[in-house]
Amino acid sequence: MCLPLPSFKEVSHSQGKQGTTWMQEILTLIYSKGDLEPAKTIPNWARAPWLEHTYFKDMLQETSGPRLITTHLPCQVLAPALRKSKAKVIYMARNPKDVAVSFYHFHKMARFLPDPGSFEDFLVRFLEGTVQYGSWFDHVKGWLSQRAELDLFYITYEDLHQELGRSVERLADWLGCPLQPEESRAIQQHCSFSSMRENTMVNYTLIPCEIMDHSRGRFMRKGIVGDWRDHFTPVQNMHFHKIYQEEMQDSSLRFRGLMD
Ligand code: A3P
């Protein structure tokens, strides 16, 4: 894939349900220096459009750089073009058990995705990698393997949960946009789950019911770490653990509270 990347400021990656929307909001506010205006008046998909969507080309023509770009694409599709660009890349990951749970609930409301069936069935497909955007393991390992070759910042959903302020400041410094304390405070307040849940520019309630059935759930669902404990049976947990060990044995990646 050949992309006009040199004018891109920053590309934010993750597989679905790892906290992409949270990162879009944080980055919007880092670049606005804590000014809430863009986050409250422009939908997130226009502020940080998805590279893989059909509207992307038109959106690019309407904006000038530097730009925020979002994608769920795997590394083998995009990394070659990124290596030739000056883009900064942020990869957001999340405990895959919570990703599976969040993705399962999202399938129930997203009319453009197949019916997930039971959680048991969905978990089988998640572990096989036959869900949208493929295997979580390949996605994460692929992008992390590019650390030495790309200007890549890796962060987890759990990091944001544990230390939102510190994470926002680290990101801002890395982007070359250091924040004043009051700017950082404004970002933390606005990026809390409760605040984002009420913000129509980011909670997806603007999307028509033919695309997302809002009677079947909320995009901003729970926003917690460890919801897998309310969904996994002990057998599912053991099976997941076994596959995780096999797939990630060569990886240095660690998630807080992954297996307890
Ligand atoms: P849950 O379904 O577990 O609640 P993505 O944006 O990659 O699709 O990820 C969506 C997940 O991120 C959802 O998880 C959503 O609630 C969560 N999320 C979004 N904004 C958040 C925030 N400010 N704080 C915590 N979780 C957030």
Side-chain angles (χ1 to χ4, degrees):
M1 186 191 259
C2 185
L3 298 160
L5 285 170
S7 63
F8 287 11
K9 177 70 177 176
E10 180 277 320
V11 181
S12 168
H13 287 281
S14 75
Q15 217 211 21
K17 314 323 285 177
Q18 305 212 95
T20 321
T21 314
W22 202 359
M23 183 53 68
Q24 289 175 321
E25 202 73 346
I26 290 169
L27 293 174
T28 299
L29 290 166
I30 288 177
Y31 282 116
S32 75
K33 292 270 177 195
D35 176 0
L36 304 185
E37 181 73 11
K40 287 194 160 175
T41 54
I42 310 169
N44 62 320
W45 60 84
R47 283 185 254 133
W50 262 264
L51 187 59
E52 54 269 42
H53 280 228
T54 47
Y55 75 105
F56 182 74
K57 202 168 142 220
D58 296 340
M59 199 64 85
L60 270 199
Q61 278 158 6
E62 285 169 20
T63 59
S64 59
R67 300 179 175 105
L68 294 176
I69 310 292
T70 309
T71 184
H72 293 319
L73 290 175
C75 119
Q76 63 273 25
V77 176
L78 202 51
L82 283 175
R83 282 199 289 269
K84 293 186 210 135
S85 81
K86 292 186 184 144
K88 284 180 162 293
V89 180
I90 296 164
Y91 190 88
M92 177 96 180
R94 184 180 189 185
N95 178 342
K97 290 182 181 175
D98 284 338
V99 174
V101 169
S102 180
F103 211 8
Y104 168 70
H105 287 287
F106 186 59
H107 272 68
K108 290 194 199 168
M109 70 176 303
R111 290 220 158 131
F112 51 90
L113 290 173
D115 186 296
S118 67
F119 181 66
E120 174 81 24
D121 292 345
F122 183 78
L123 198 55
V124 169
R125 291 200 298 282
F126 183 85
L127 287 170
E128 283 171 356
T130 51
V131 290
Q132 194 190 35
Y133 295 107
S135 156
W136 178 91
F137 303 102
D138 292 347
H139 201 278
V140 176
K141 285 189 289 187
W143 278 109
L144 290 192
S145 73
Q146 299 298 308
R147 263 172 161 169
E149 297 182 62
L150 297 177
D151 193 1
L152 191 146
F153 188 99
Y154 170 78
I155 190 160
T156 66
Y157 181 92
E158 292 74 18
D159 290 336
L160 291 187
H161 246 276
Q162 181 151 334
E163 299 186 296
L164 184 57
R166 171 93 194 93
S167 303
V168 167
E169 283 153 26
R170 276 181 54 224
L171 257 170
D173 290 344
W174 179 76
L175 290 166
C177 300
L179 299 166
Q180 295 299 317
E182 65 278 10
E183 294 166 348
S184 173
R185 272 196 297 278
I187 297 176
Q188 286 172 61
Q189 255 173 21
H190 180 80
C191 291
S192 69
F193 181 74
S194 55
S195 166
M196 281 181 57
R197 201 179 209 203
E198 299 311 316
N199 180 5
T200 51
M201 293 298 133
V202 81
N203 66 12
Y204 284 94
T205 52
L206 293 178
I207 299 287
C209 279
E210 303 88 75
I211 301 176
M212 277 190 202
D213 185 346
H214 302 288
S215 70
R216 305 196 70 196
R218 294 171 82 158
F219 180 90
M220 292 287 173
R221 195 181 59 89
K222 278 195 184 170
I224 60 171
V225 171
D227 194 29
W228 65 266
R229 291 188 181 87
D230 283 340
H231 290 75
F232 279 58
T233 64
V235 173
Q236 286 167 345
N237 195 26
M238 272 168 53
H239 181 58
F240 200 104
H241 186 59
K242 183 172 164 287
I243 307 267
Y244 187 92
Q245 298 295 337
E246 287 165 12
E247 292 275 0
M248 304 300 281
Q249 55 184 332
D250 298 330
S251 168
S252 57
L253 195 58
R254 297 286 172 267
F255 288 98
R256 283 186 208 110
L258 177 70
M259 288 301 166
D260 46 11

